[in-house]
PDB file of all heavy atoms in Angstrom:
ATOM      1  N   ALA A   1       0.836  -1.182  -0.020  1.00 96.00           N
ATOM      2  CA  ALA A   1      -0.029  -0.003   0.022  1.00 96.00           C
ATOM      3  C   ALA A   1       0.888   1.227  -0.023  1.00 96.00           C
ATOM      4  O   ALA A   1       1.838   1.396   0.861  1.00 96.00           O
ATOM      5  CB  ALA A   1      -0.937  -0.012   1.268  1.00 96.00           C
ATOM      6  N   PRO A   2       0.677   2.108  -0.911  1.00 93.00           N
ATOM      7  CA  PRO A   2       1.537   3.352  -0.993  1.00 93.00           C
ATOM      8  C   PRO A   2       1.284   4.281   0.214  1.00 93.00           C
ATOM      9  O   PRO A   2       0.268   4.287   0.819  1.00 93.00           O
ATOM     10  CB  PRO A   2       1.096   4.003  -2.320  1.00 93.00           C
ATOM     11  CG  PRO A   2      -0.358   3.485  -2.548  1.00 93.00           C
ATOM     12  CD  PRO A   2      -0.380   2.136  -1.921  1.00 93.00           C
ATOM     13  N   GLY A   3       2.379   5.002   0.493  1.00 90.00           N
ATOM     14  CA  GLY A   3       2.303   5.944   1.544  1.00 90.00           C
ATOM     15  C   GLY A   3       2.370   5.504   2.976  1.00 90.00           C
ATOM     16  O   GLY A   3       2.180   6.285   3.876  1.00 90.00           O
ATOM     17  N   LYS A   4       2.624   4.246   3.157  1.00 95.00           N
ATOM     18  CA  LYS A   4       2.721   3.685   4.423  1.00 95.00           C
ATOM     19  C   LYS A   4       4.119   3.234   4.810  1.00 95.00           C
ATOM     20  O   LYS A   4       4.826   2.738   3.998  1.00 95.00           O
ATOM     21  CB  LYS A   4       1.773   2.444   4.579  1.00 95.00           C
ATOM     22  CG  LYS A   4       0.277   2.691   4.470  1.00 95.00           C
ATOM     23  CD  LYS A   4      -0.539   1.481   5.040  1.00 95.00           C
ATOM     24  CE  LYS A   4      -0.467   1.454   6.528  1.00 95.00           C
ATOM     25  NZ  LYS A   4      -1.178   0.306   7.132  1.00 95.00           N
ATOM     26  N   ASP A   5       4.514   3.422   6.059  1.00 94.00           N
ATOM     27  CA  ASP A   5       5.817   2.971   6.524  1.00 94.00           C
ATOM     28  C   ASP A   5       5.815   1.513   7.002  1.00 94.00           C
ATOM     29  O   ASP A   5       6.840   0.867   6.966  1.00 94.00           O
ATOM     30  CB  ASP A   5       6.340   3.864   7.654  1.00 94.00           C
ATOM     31  CG  ASP A   5       6.757   5.233   7.198  1.00 94.00           C
ATOM     32  OD1 ASP A   5       7.001   5.353   6.019  1.00 94.00           O
ATOM     33  OD2 ASP A   5       6.742   6.123   8.042  1.00 94.00           O
ATOM     34  N   ILE A   6       4.619   1.053   7.584  1.00 96.00           N
ATOM     35  CA  ILE A   6       4.584  -0.300   8.114  1.00 96.00           C
ATOM     36  C   ILE A   6       3.536  -1.028   7.432  1.00 96.00           C
ATOM     37  O   ILE A   6       2.385  -0.568   7.228  1.00 96.00           O
ATOM     38  CB  ILE A   6       4.179  -0.134   9.652  1.00 96.00           C
ATOM     39  CG1 ILE A   6       5.095   0.828  10.341  1.00 96.00           C
ATOM     40  CG2 ILE A   6       4.127  -1.513  10.309  1.00 96.00           C
ATOM     41  CD1 ILE A   6       6.453   0.369  10.504  1.00 96.00           C
ATOM     42  N   HIS A   7       3.957  -2.250   6.995  1.00 97.00           N
ATOM     43  CA  HIS A   7       3.066  -3.242   6.339  1.00 97.00           C
ATOM     44  C   HIS A   7       3.073  -4.538   7.039  1.00 97.00           C
ATOM     45  O   HIS A   7       4.179  -5.050   7.367  1.00 97.00           O
ATOM     46  CB  HIS A   7       3.459  -3.419   4.886  1.00 97.00           C
ATOM     47  CG  HIS A   7       3.387  -2.200   4.089  1.00 97.00           C
ATOM     48  ND1 HIS A   7       4.434  -1.241   4.067  1.00 97.00           N
ATOM     49  CD2 HIS A   7       2.470  -1.699   3.182  1.00 97.00           C
ATOM     50  CE1 HIS A   7       4.068  -0.267   3.270  1.00 97.00           C
ATOM     51  NE2 HIS A   7       3.023  -0.494   2.693  1.00 97.00           N
ATOM     52  N   TYR A   8       1.898  -5.186   7.276  1.00 97.00           N
ATOM     53  CA  TYR A   8       1.828  -6.452   7.915  1.00 97.00           C
ATOM     54  C   TYR A   8       1.205  -7.419   7.069  1.00 97.00           C
ATOM     55  O   TYR A   8       0.151  -7.252   6.452  1.00 97.00           O
ATOM     56  CB  TYR A   8       1.048  -6.368   9.307  1.00 97.00           C
ATOM     57  CG  TYR A   8       1.658  -5.749  10.369  1.00 97.00           C
ATOM     58  CD1 TYR A   8       1.424  -4.400  10.772  1.00 97.00           C
ATOM     59  CD2 TYR A   8       2.582  -6.448  11.227  1.00 97.00           C
ATOM     60  CE1 TYR A   8       1.982  -3.863  11.849  1.00 97.00           C
ATOM     61  CE2 TYR A   8       3.159  -5.906  12.320  1.00 97.00           C
ATOM     62  CZ  TYR A   8       2.919  -4.560  12.690  1.00 97.00           C
ATOM     63  OH  TYR A   8       3.475  -4.063  13.704  1.00 97.00           O
ATOM     64  N   ARG A   9       1.841  -8.650   6.937  1.00 97.00           N
ATOM     65  CA  ARG A   9       1.117  -9.698   6.304  1.00 97.00           C
ATOM     66  C   ARG A   9       1.781 -11.043   6.863  1.00 97.00           C
ATOM     67  O   ARG A   9       2.919 -11.191   7.225  1.00 97.00           O
ATOM     68  CB  ARG A   9       1.308  -9.728   4.785  1.00 97.00           C
ATOM     69  CG  ARG A   9       2.758  -9.959   4.261  1.00 97.00           C
ATOM     70  CD  ARG A   9       2.674  -9.997   2.724  1.00 97.00           C
ATOM     71  NE  ARG A   9       3.915  -9.730   2.074  1.00 97.00           N
ATOM     72  CZ  ARG A   9       4.075  -9.563   0.811  1.00 97.00           C
ATOM     73  NH1 ARG A   9       3.035  -9.741  -0.021  1.00 97.00           N
ATOM     74  NH2 ARG A   9       5.328  -9.247   0.234  1.00 97.00           N
ATOM     75  N   MET A  10       0.870 -12.007   6.992  1.00 98.00           N
ATOM     76  CA  MET A  10       1.177 -13.376   7.372  1.00 98.00           C
ATOM     77  C   MET A  10       0.909 -14.302   6.167  1.00 98.00           C
ATOM     78  O   MET A  10      -0.100 -14.168   5.469  1.00 98.00           O
ATOM     79  CB  MET A  10       0.335 -13.864   8.534  1.00 98.00           C
ATOM     80  CG  MET A  10       0.555 -15.326   9.001  1.00 98.00           C
ATOM     81  SD  MET A  10      -0.443 -15.921  10.332  1.00 98.00           S
ATOM     82  CE  MET A  10      -1.957 -16.158   9.525  1.00 98.00           C
ATOM     83  N   HIS A  11       1.855 -15.293   5.917  1.00 98.00           N
ATOM     84  CA  HIS A  11       1.634 -16.084   4.736  1.00 98.00           C
ATOM     85  C   HIS A  11       0.457 -17.001   4.961  1.00 98.00           C
ATOM     86  O   HIS A  11       0.270 -17.502   6.150  1.00 98.00           O
ATOM     87  CB  HIS A  11       2.924 -16.973   4.564  1.00 98.00           C
ATOM     88  CG  HIS A  11       2.963 -17.589   3.272  1.00 98.00           C
ATOM     89  ND1 HIS A  11       2.228 -18.745   2.966  1.00 98.00           N
ATOM     90  CD2 HIS A  11       3.657 -17.320   2.116  1.00 98.00           C
ATOM     91  CE1 HIS A  11       2.486 -19.122   1.665  1.00 98.00           C
ATOM     92  NE2 HIS A  11       3.237 -18.255   1.221  1.00 98.00           N
ATOM     93  N   PRO A  12      -0.416 -17.266   3.994  1.00 98.00           N
ATOM     94  CA  PRO A  12      -1.589 -18.041   4.207  1.00 98.00           C
ATOM     95  C   PRO A  12      -1.325 -19.441   4.699  1.00 98.00           C
ATOM     96  O   PRO A  12      -2.111 -20.097   5.433  1.00 98.00           O
ATOM     97  CB  PRO A  12      -2.221 -18.074   2.880  1.00 98.00           C
ATOM     98  CG  PRO A  12      -1.769 -16.806   2.209  1.00 98.00           C
ATOM     99  CD  PRO A  12      -0.421 -16.631   2.669  1.00 98.00           C
ATOM    100  N   ALA A  13      -0.178 -19.972   4.393  1.00 98.00           N
ATOM    101  CA  ALA A  13       0.271 -21.298   4.886  1.00 98.00           C
ATOM    102  C   ALA A  13       0.455 -21.323   6.331  1.00 98.00           C
ATOM    103  O   ALA A  13       0.584 -22.429   6.963  1.00 98.00           O
ATOM    104  CB  ALA A  13       1.509 -21.779   4.199  1.00 98.00           C
ATOM    105  N   ASN A  14       0.496 -20.174   7.050  1.00 98.00           N
ATOM    106  CA  ASN A  14       0.664 -20.112   8.513  1.00 98.00           C
ATOM    107  C   ASN A  14      -0.695 -20.024   9.163  1.00 98.00           C
ATOM    108  O   ASN A  14      -0.774 -19.601  10.367  1.00 98.00           O
ATOM    109  CB  ASN A  14       1.630 -18.987   8.977  1.00 98.00           C
ATOM    110  CG  ASN A  14       2.984 -19.346   8.620  1.00 98.00           C
ATOM    111  OD1 ASN A  14       3.451 -20.541   8.832  1.00 98.00           O
ATOM    112  ND2 ASN A  14       3.801 -18.340   8.312  1.00 98.00           N
ATOM    113  N   LEU A  15      -1.816 -20.171   8.483  1.00 98.00           N
ATOM    114  CA  LEU A  15      -3.154 -19.912   9.077  1.00 98.00           C
ATOM    115  C   LEU A  15      -3.386 -20.772  10.317  1.00 98.00           C
ATOM    116  O   LEU A  15      -4.228 -20.328  11.129  1.00 98.00           O
ATOM    117  CB  LEU A  15      -4.203 -20.165   8.082  1.00 98.00           C
ATOM    118  CG  LEU A  15      -5.635 -19.829   8.566  1.00 98.00           C
ATOM    119  CD1 LEU A  15      -5.801 -18.416   8.615  1.00 98.00           C
ATOM    120  CD2 LEU A  15      -6.684 -20.470   7.686  1.00 98.00           C
ATOM    121  N   ALA A  16      -2.692 -21.830  10.384  1.00 98.00           N
ATOM    122  CA  ALA A  16      -2.896 -22.638  11.620  1.00 98.00           C
ATOM    123  C   ALA A  16      -2.540 -21.840  12.901  1.00 98.00           C
ATOM    124  O   ALA A  16      -3.046 -22.207  13.934  1.00 98.00           O
ATOM    125  CB  ALA A  16      -1.942 -23.930  11.554  1.00 98.00           C
ATOM    126  N   CYS A  17      -1.801 -20.778  12.826  1.00 98.00           N
ATOM    127  CA  CYS A  17      -1.592 -19.916  14.004  1.00 98.00           C
ATOM    128  C   CYS A  17      -2.824 -19.336  14.479  1.00 98.00           C
ATOM    129  O   CYS A  17      -3.073 -19.230  15.685  1.00 98.00           O
ATOM    130  CB  CYS A  17      -0.498 -18.879  13.634  1.00 98.00           C
ATOM    131  SG  CYS A  17      -0.277 -17.676  14.962  1.00 98.00           S
ATOM    132  N   LEU A  18      -3.817 -18.984  13.585  1.00 98.00           N
ATOM    133  CA  LEU A  18      -5.048 -18.434  14.021  1.00 98.00           C
ATOM    134  C   LEU A  18      -6.036 -19.574  14.349  1.00 98.00           C
ATOM    135  O   LEU A  18      -6.756 -19.441  15.297  1.00 98.00           O
ATOM    136  CB  LEU A  18      -5.625 -17.549  12.893  1.00 98.00           C
ATOM    137  CG  LEU A  18      -4.771 -16.317  12.501  1.00 98.00           C
ATOM    138  CD1 LEU A  18      -5.441 -15.552  11.357  1.00 98.00           C
ATOM    139  CD2 LEU A  18      -4.527 -15.490  13.726  1.00 98.00           C
ATOM    140  N   SER A  19      -6.019 -20.634  13.547  1.00 98.00           N
ATOM    141  CA  SER A  19      -6.946 -21.724  13.803  1.00 98.00           C
ATOM    142  C   SER A  19      -6.673 -22.292  15.224  1.00 98.00           C
ATOM    143  O   SER A  19      -7.533 -22.916  15.882  1.00 98.00           O
ATOM    144  CB  SER A  19      -6.807 -22.840  12.806  1.00 98.00           C
ATOM    145  OG  SER A  19      -7.080 -22.348  11.497  1.00 98.00           O
ATOM    146  N   ALA A  20      -5.418 -22.275  15.686  1.00 98.00           N
ATOM    147  CA  ALA A  20      -5.078 -22.863  16.968  1.00 98.00           C
ATOM    148  C   ALA A  20      -5.829 -22.232  18.091  1.00 98.00           C
ATOM    149  O   ALA A  20      -6.142 -22.884  19.129  1.00 98.00           O
ATOM    150  CB  ALA A  20      -3.564 -22.707  17.252  1.00 98.00           C
ATOM    151  N   ALA A  21      -6.235 -21.020  17.964  1.00 98.00           N
ATOM    152  CA  ALA A  21      -7.066 -20.299  18.946  1.00 98.00           C
ATOM    153  C   ALA A  21      -8.571 -20.566  18.878  1.00 98.00           C
ATOM    154  O   ALA A  21      -9.285 -19.990  19.624  1.00 98.00           O
ATOM    155  CB  ALA A  21      -6.694 -18.828  18.977  1.00 98.00           C
ATOM    156  N   ARG A  22      -8.983 -21.286  17.877  1.00 98.00           N
ATOM    157  CA  ARG A  22     -10.405 -21.599  17.628  1.00 98.00           C
ATOM    158  C   ARG A  22     -11.161 -20.349  17.627  1.00 98.00           C
ATOM    159  O   ARG A  22     -12.261 -20.234  18.267  1.00 98.00           O
ATOM    160  CB  ARG A  22     -10.887 -22.581  18.743  1.00 98.00           C
ATOM    161  CG  ARG A  22     -10.031 -23.862  18.707  1.00 98.00           C
ATOM    162  CD  ARG A  22     -10.934 -25.089  19.329  1.00 98.00           C
ATOM    163  NE  ARG A  22     -11.455 -24.735  20.572  1.00 98.00           N
ATOM    164  CZ  ARG A  22     -10.814 -24.873  21.720  1.00 98.00           C
ATOM    165  NH1 ARG A  22      -9.500 -25.191  21.750  1.00 98.00           N
ATOM    166  NH2 ARG A  22     -11.497 -24.617  22.862  1.00 98.00           N
ATOM    167  N   LEU A  23     -10.710 -19.360  16.762  1.00 98.00           N
ATOM    168  CA  LEU A  23     -11.447 -18.057  16.701  1.00 98.00           C
ATOM    169  C   LEU A  23     -12.778 -18.239  15.995  1.00 98.00           C
ATOM    170  O   LEU A  23     -12.826 -18.989  14.967  1.00 98.00           O
ATOM    171  CB  LEU A  23     -10.586 -17.090  15.967  1.00 98.00           C
ATOM    172  CG  LEU A  23      -9.193 -16.712  16.607  1.00 98.00           C
ATOM    173  CD1 LEU A  23      -8.372 -15.824  15.685  1.00 98.00           C
ATOM    174  CD2 LEU A  23      -9.371 -16.182  18.000  1.00 98.00           C
ATOM    175  N   ASP A  24     -13.766 -17.520  16.460  1.00 98.00           N
ATOM    176  CA  ASP A  24     -15.053 -17.515  15.755  1.00 98.00           C
ATOM    177  C   ASP A  24     -15.141 -16.375  14.804  1.00 98.00           C
ATOM    178  O   ASP A  24     -15.751 -16.476  13.665  1.00 98.00           O
ATOM    179  CB  ASP A  24     -16.223 -17.406  16.782  1.00 98.00           C
ATOM    180  CG  ASP A  24     -16.342 -18.684  17.556  1.00 98.00           C
ATOM    181  OD1 ASP A  24     -16.778 -19.680  17.125  1.00 98.00           O
ATOM    182  OD2 ASP A  24     -15.964 -18.548  18.815  1.00 98.00           O
ATOM    183  N   VAL A  25     -14.641 -15.164  15.137  1.00 98.00           N
ATOM    184  CA  VAL A  25     -14.782 -13.981  14.293  1.00 98.00           C
ATOM    185  C   VAL A  25     -13.445 -13.217  14.345  1.00 98.00           C
ATOM    186  O   VAL A  25     -12.840 -13.011  15.425  1.00 98.00           O
ATOM    187  CB  VAL A  25     -15.846 -13.072  14.749  1.00 98.00           C
ATOM    188  CG1 VAL A  25     -16.009 -11.913  13.737  1.00 98.00           C
ATOM    189  CG2 VAL A  25     -17.169 -13.843  14.928  1.00 98.00           C
ATOM    190  N   CYS A  26     -13.077 -12.706  13.196  1.00 98.00           N
ATOM    191  CA  CYS A  26     -11.948 -11.730  13.106  1.00 98.00           C
ATOM    192  C   CYS A  26     -12.628 -10.413  12.643  1.00 98.00           C
ATOM    193  O   CYS A  26     -13.134 -10.330  11.526  1.00 98.00           O
ATOM    194  CB  CYS A  26     -10.930 -12.163  12.178  1.00 98.00           C
ATOM    195  SG  CYS A  26      -9.841 -13.457  12.747  1.00 98.00           S
TER     196      CYS A  26
END
C-alpha cells in the first residue's frame, strides 16, 4: 500500500496460527 511505513502480512500457509485459537470471528 503506497504512503505507508509499516506493512503487515502473514503467509496463508501459517493460518494454523489463527486456527489454533479456535477463533469464531476476526
Side-chain angles (χ1 to χ4, degrees):
K4 293 198 75 185
D5 287 338
I6 307 295
H7 299 80
Y8 282 100
R9 64 175 161 187
M10 179 180 76
H11 196 282
N14 285 326
L15 185 71
C17 177
L18 299 178
S19 300
R22 304 203 307 278
L23 301 175
D24 292 288
V25 185
C26 287

